[in-house]
Amino acid sequence: MCVPEPLVSVVIATYQRPALLRRCLAALCNQRMDASGFELIVADDGCERRIADLVAEMAAVYPKVALRYTAVAGTQGPAGARNAGARLARGEVLAFTDDDTIPSPDWVRNGYLAMAARPAWCAAAGRVVVPTPTRPTDHERDTAGLACAEFVTANCFVRRSAFVRVGGFDERFTRAWREDSDLQFRLETQAGEVGRADDAVVEHPVRPAEWGASARAQAKVFFDALLYKKHPRLYRARIRRVPPWHYHVIVMAGAVALCGALAQSPRLATVSALLWTAMTLAFCLRRLRGASWHPRHVLEMIVTSVAIPPLSLYWRVRGALAFRTGFL
């Protein structure tokens, strides 16, 4: 019996989040599109038996949907997992989403129709909806940034031929950060136009975050250095126009204040400490503008506003050294 090839191959990278994956797969298995038109490929970066069992269970519940599982042992991070899933794909269009999204019932169909109607497009970005309260926390507002991002792996469609042409995701991006922008930039420069498929919608609920998550998230800046090395002009035009000079000044003021105190130069120490305090306070208030003023959140913003500038510069320097690029 000859099984027709699907039009779309949906690749979902996952890592140790079975409850979220189940929710995502349930939405995908209930798409308003003929089941023969698409397939689902779960690329498990954690190589867990419980994830394999979950996929098998969902395949039994939805027998008409082509649902496959692959354990990804040879790489680290979602970029490598997505590449592994893409290698198994049979569809002419690759659709990528994450395990913490809820694709709308017409997501696959609308994404495919947008690509089919515009042969010049090598890829398209769908629309991401992030529900947030009127006064969000810093973490909620950070996640909400997905809604206005140009191109994110939570919702994108790529012609398989274009994906192969550019070599897929760069697996040096071992965290879920900037690997999507890198793919977008390479597609635009090597394969063709990247369009918008706004009718292809996924919801991205905000997941709970540990206290102080914004400070720990500065480690992601390490991969900004790699993106900058590969695409310096596009990075400055599309990601960050100028380096975060206020971080440099804050860290310098703190360092000078400490040196002044150690050198028993009270005037230098006082002036530098006042500058550090003023700039750190301004940074904290800027982060709190329009955000939640719950006491716990305000305390978190104060503490992390002190920690973020030095942590960000630390990871920027590490990235610049690791990838040998003049990244500030």
Side-chain angles (χ1 to χ4, degrees):
M1 180 179 175
C2 180
V3 179
E5 291 190 349
L7 301 172
V8 181
S9 295
V10 181
V11 178
I12 312 104
T14 189
Y15 182 73
Q16 297 183 352
R17 300 196 294 208
L20 294 176
L21 178 63
R22 179 185 294 274
R23 184 184 67 184
C24 179
L25 288 178
L28 289 169
C29 289
N30 284 286
Q31 290 288 295
R32 286 196 287 254
M33 180 179 185
D34 190 291
S36 65
F38 66 97
E39 65 177 349
L40 307 178
I41 302 170
V42 175
D44 179 13
D45 200 32
C47 304
E48 292 189 298
R49 179 58 183 268
R50 61 175 177 168
I51 299 297
D53 290 343
L54 169 60
V55 174
E57 176 192 335
M58 296 294 287
V61 174
Y62 299 95
K64 293 184 179 181
V65 178
L67 178 54
R68 290 187 284 163
Y69 168 88
T70 182
V72 186
T75 64
Q76 179 183 352
R82 295 189 190 104
N83 283 344
R87 284 192 289 270
L88 299 177
R90 297 177 296 139
E92 61 183 82
V93 172
L94 303 176
F96 294 99
T97 193
D98 297 330
D99 60 6
D100 54 354
T101 68
I102 307 173
S104 64
D106 295 313
W107 176 65
V108 175
R109 183 182 67 180
N110 288 347
Y112 175 76
L113 289 177
M115 295 289 288
R118 298 163 181 83
W121 286 3
C122 68
R127 183 159 57 94
V128 180
V129 175
V130 184
T132 55
T134 303
R135 297 188 71 88
T137 64
D138 183 69
H139 171 65
E140 289 169 336
R141 188 157 53 187
D142 181 62
T143 303
L146 292 169
C148 55
E150 288 186 15
F151 186 92
V152 291
T153 47
N155 187 355
C156 65
F157 299 82
V158 185
R159 296 195 195 280
R160 185 164 51 139
S161 57
F163 188 82
V164 172
R165 179 176 179 179
V166 303
F169 289 97
D170 186 335
E171 296 181 8
R172 289 178 293 175
F173 292 91
T174 53
R175 294 188 63 163
W177 187 251
R178 300 305 189 203
E179 81 285 1
D180 39 17
S181 295
D182 173 60
L183 178 65
Q184 176 195 6
F185 293 163
R186 285 185 289 119
L187 286 168
E188 289 177 341
T189 56
Q190 301 175 35
E193 183 181 357
V194 175
R196 293 287 308 181
D198 287 329
D199 290 335
V201 181
V202 302
E203 181 179 328
H204 194 299
V206 179
R207 291 184 287 109
E210 294 181 355
W211 198 88
S214 57
R216 290 186 292 274
Q218 298 309 305
K220 296 187 293 188
V221 178
F222 179 84
F223 296 103
D224 277 56
L226 176 56
L227 184 65
Y228 177 80
K229 178 176 183 176
K230 298 183 69 176
H231 314 279
R233 182 182 60 81
L234 289 171
Y235 182 91
R236 288 301 177 207
R238 311 269 281 277
I239 304 294
R240 182 184 280 277
R241 292 182 58 191
V242 296
W245 296 121
H246 60 298
Y247 287 177
H248 292 261
V249 176
I250 289 173
V251 172
M252 182 65 71
V256 172
L258 179 61
C259 291
L262 293 174
Q264 298 183 344
S265 177
R267 184 174 181 179
L268 178 62
T270 300
V271 171
S272 300
L274 287 173
L275 176 61
W276 177 88
T277 301
M279 292 195 67
T280 301
L281 180 61
F283 175 48
C284 180
L285 291 174
R286 188 163 61 248
R287 297 175 68 204
L288 281 168
R289 188 179 301 129
S292 169
W293 279 83
H294 186 281
R296 186 174 187 273
H297 182 248
V298 172
L299 177 61
E300 181 182 11
M301 291 300 95
I302 293 172
V303 173
T304 56
S305 293
V306 172
I308 283 174
L311 285 173
S312 177
L313 294 190
Y314 168 77
W315 285 107
R316 296 176 86 83
V317 170
R318 277 197 60 174
L321 294 174
F323 301 114
R324 300 181 182 180
T325 181
F327 179 64
L328 295 175

